[in-house]
Amino acid sequence: MALSLSWKVFAQFPTNHCYLLLRAVRSSGLPLFPWGHCPWRGAGSFLDPEMKAFLEENTEVTSGGSLTPEIQLRLLTPRCKFWWERADLWPYSDPYWAIYWPGGQALSRYLLDNPDIVRGKSVLDLGSGCGATAIAAKMSGALRILANDIDPIAGMAITLNCGLNQLNPFPILTKNILDLEQDKWDLVVLGDMFYDEDLADSLHLWLKKCFWTHRTEILIGDPGRPQFSGHNIQNQLHKVVEYSLPEPTRQQNNGLTTSTVWKFQP
């Protein structure tokens, strides 16, 4: 099962604003990088020059309007052409990585404020998207990081975002990690991943195995989506911290005003 997202259930953008009310999820999964598959390591030399130029032209570098103003990211904003274009004009897979989702914002804020959580540890950022939480872990002193997102273009965006924050790129895996043999991690973080009931069930099983096999610490960021708040994983969560979302993030996520970090303890 691919960790693809459906915009219609995942985001709640005004229909008259944004091209992001989008085409259906591609059911066949995503291709690997043209130069091979991950972990995708290395610096900017791994970026395809044409793709790099496209991303730089069609995203905006921003650090405002989120819970982590100290992190710069390339995102899709109302000042970008494709924010207003029809969805079918975007030439690649749907750019979920181009939005800084509220669950990821909460996780990133928490790691920046509590660096002891990650300092000297190994961290897996599951469903990394723009890479902000992995970047926050790196800024806070994590020893080893793997960012996982099935979209190869997200991998390129994460590498660009590392550069914006004066960080060397860390490894990126663009395969569905739920289908792979589990590695040992001190900490697994995942934000905004409980948007679909079937995926929520799969994640719950994978996280339980991760916890019981390796005693991994697991932190989940979510702004209160019904697929998460109504899931039986709630019986195994401890609330760590809740953040009030900045106004721009609220406007982009209708009806969502807070985002919470939870600790998974099965």
Side-chain angles (χ1 to χ4, degrees):
M1 183 178 83
L3 296 184
S4 298
L5 311 182
S6 169
W7 290 100
K8 291 184 179 180
V9 297
F10 192 58
Q12 301 173 348
F13 286 84
T15 56
N16 61 343
H17 261 264
C18 171
Y19 96 99
L20 294 174
L21 297 173
L22 285 129
R23 47 203 171 180
V25 180
R26 301 192 332 175
S27 60
S28 58
L30 294 167
L32 297 177
F33 288 101
W35 49 82
H37 63 273
C38 287
W40 176 35
R41 302 172 185 273
S45 60
F46 280 88
L47 284 169
D48 175 74
E50 183 177 345
M51 176 59 67
K52 180 175 182 287
F54 179 86
L55 294 182
E56 290 177 339
E57 179 182 353
N58 291 289
T59 57
E60 180 185 17
V61 176
T62 179
S63 61
S66 77
L67 289 171
T68 57
E70 55 268 71
I71 296 179
Q72 294 194 84
L73 300 168
R74 283 201 166 274
L75 301 175
L76 199 61
T77 76
R79 286 178 287 276
C80 299
K81 176 178 69 173
F82 281 102
W83 182 273
W84 305 100
E85 293 281 8
R86 297 197 325 268
D88 59 346
L89 295 180
W90 179 264
Y92 303 103
S93 55
D94 295 337
Y96 306 104
W97 52 266
I99 301 295
Y100 191 9
W101 302 102
Q105 289 190 34
L107 283 170
S108 301
R109 181 72 268 155
Y110 180 68
L111 297 186
L112 290 171
D113 290 344
N114 300 274
D116 289 345
I117 299 294
V118 296
R119 185 178 291 122
K121 296 180 180 179
S122 59
V123 179
L124 168 65
D125 183 12
L126 178 60
S128 190
C130 66
T133 303
I135 287 170
K138 185 70 172 179
M139 288 178 166
S140 299
L143 182 64
R144 181 168 69 100
I145 295 172
L146 177 65
N148 171 229
D149 195 294
I150 63 167
D151 188 345
I153 300 176
M156 300 181 196
I158 291 169
T159 297
L160 289 175
N161 289 335
C162 285
L164 290 175
N165 294 281
Q166 291 77 53
L167 299 176
N168 292 326
F170 33 73
I172 300 164
L173 174 70
T174 58
K175 301 181 83 171
N176 185 354
I177 202 167
L178 302 190
D179 293 336
L180 306 179
E181 183 177 350
Q182 286 191 348
D183 198 0
K184 177 176 170 53
W185 300 95
D186 297 318
L187 175 66
V188 171
V189 292
L190 60 158
D192 306 285
M193 292 295 288
F194 285 79
Y195 55 85
D196 173 83
E197 291 181 3
D198 290 338
L199 176 57
D201 290 342
S202 297
L203 283 168
H204 190 196
L205 291 173
W206 191 89
L207 293 172
K208 283 196 292 186
K209 182 180 178 183
C210 193
F211 178 88
W212 290 116
T213 302
H214 303 296
R215 291 294 173 176
T216 300
E217 183 176 2
I218 298 165
L219 296 176
I220 300 171
D222 190 89
R225 294 189 180 87
Q227 297 90 341
F228 182 68
S229 57
H231 196 275
N232 59 13
I233 195 174
Q234 291 291 321
N235 299 322
Q236 299 168 323
L237 297 176
H238 168 71
K239 187 175 183 179
V240 178
V241 63
E242 181 176 340
Y243 297 99
S244 179
L245 292 171
E247 186 59 31
T249 301
R250 294 187 183 200
Q251 292 176 4
Q252 292 178 354
N253 294 268
N254 292 347
L256 302 178
T257 59
T258 63
S259 191
T260 301
V261 176
W262 302 87
K263 186 172 184 179
F264 179 57
Q265 296 177 308

